[in-house]
Amino acid sequence: MHSASCPIFWSFRRCPFAMRARLAVRASGLTVELREILLRDKPDAFMSASSKATVPVLELGNGTVLDESRNIMFWALQKSGDPAGWLSGWSTRKRQTESFLDELDGEFKTHLDRYKYASRYVANTQSASELANKHRASGCKFLIRVDARLSKEPFLNGDSAGLEDFAALPFVRQFRMVDIKWFDEQNWPFLQRWLQTFLCSQKFKNIMIKYKPWAPEAAPIFF
């Protein structure tokens, strides 16, 4: 069952790309039909929606398919008129924001993946440990600069959290989860406070509710 007027939003709860897209949809006040999937058992309807077969994917009523999380974020914020003011920083420093997001999604995400999943890239445990440490150190350079920015303003967006903050927070959270004790011992006071504010927020809790994986016969879940 599906409401033809409601966009279909394919998601996987723990994916940071899907997290930030869900955060933007929720902040926009728009309604989508949420379809939670398991990455190890992707439904045919999801596979046919996007050739990339990665979450998140948003299917619009006019046939348009958005399968990049940043595009979904912008769609939700711009279509809704940005009621939470997420784009206030973007509107005043577009080039810098684009540069930050490109580094976040590119270089930092690469270091995060090789830190978190080092054993996928090398054959033995010792090499995996060395690779993980190397990429952790490289990822830290980005986090140190984020901490420095947050020492001047409470959020990357300025006085209130916005696009850069919510685009980055799920990935910083994932970086921390690789070794929580080590992460929490680092001298990043402003970044640590920024991250903990997010982790303890109702916004985060609201987008991390567990749903059963979608099935064609299931009643729709509106998000």
Side-chain angles (χ1 to χ4, degrees), residues 72-83:
I72 295 173
M73 294 177 83
F74 276 111
W75 170 84
L77 299 172
Q78 291 171 343
K79 183 175 179 61
S80 65
D82 189 25

Side-chain angles (χ1 to χ4, degrees), residues 185-198:
E185 290 172 349
Q186 302 311 298
N187 185 28
W188 302 327
F190 305 99
L191 180 139
Q192 301 275 15
R193 182 177 62 191
W194 170 81
L195 178 60
Q196 287 302 322
T197 298
F198 170 66

Side-chain angles (χ1 to χ4, degrees), residues 16 19 100 104 108-109 112 115 139 142-143 146-147 150 156 164-178 180 183-184 188 191-192 194-196 198-199:
M19 284 182 197
F100 174 83
L104 171 71
F108 178 72
K109 183 62 166 62
L112 169 59
Y115 170 37
F142 176 80
L143 297 178
V146 172
D147 183 67
L150 293 170
L156 298 175
E164 289 174 275
D165 299 280
F166 291 112
L169 278 159
F171 294 101
V172 178
R173 170 185 177 269
Q174 192 175 60
F175 196 96
R176 174 180 182 262
M177 289 179 68
V178 180
I180 292 175
F183 186 98
D184 289 350
W188 302 327
L191 180 139
Q192 301 275 15
W194 170 81
L195 178 60
Q196 287 302 322
F198 170 66
L199 295 180

Side-chain angles (χ1 to χ4, degrees), residues 2-10 32-33 35 44-50 56-67 72 75 214:
H2 168 62
S3 172
S5 63
C6 189
I8 298 172
F9 183 101
W10 297 95
V32 297
E33 181 188 331
R35 294 185 176 182
D44 291 340
F46 167 71
M47 298 291 283
S48 65
S50 170
V57 170
L58 186 70
E59 296 183 68
L60 303 181
N62 64 4
T64 300
V65 174
L66 304 178
D67 57 8
I72 295 173
W75 170 84
W214 175 81

Side-chain angles (χ1 to χ4, degrees), residues 90-148:
W90 164 267
S91 64
T92 58
R93 51 176 194 276
K94 183 176 179 179
R95 185 175 298 176
Q96 296 95 319
T97 301
E98 281 184 335
S99 178
F100 174 83
L101 294 176
D102 286 344
E103 183 178 4
L104 171 71
D105 293 357
E107 190 175 332
F108 178 72
K109 183 62 166 62
T110 296
H111 293 312
L112 169 59
D113 286 345
R114 283 156 179 75
Y115 170 37
K116 183 178 175 65
Y117 304 112
S119 60
R120 295 182 182 178
Y121 297 93
V122 291
N124 61 72
T125 303
Q126 181 177 348
S127 297
S129 178
E130 292 170 356
L131 184 70
N133 288 335
K134 172 188 172 183
H135 285 283
R136 181 171 76 179
S138 296
C140 285
K141 295 176 183 178
F142 176 80
L143 297 178
I144 288 167
R145 284 188 281 116
V146 172
D147 183 67

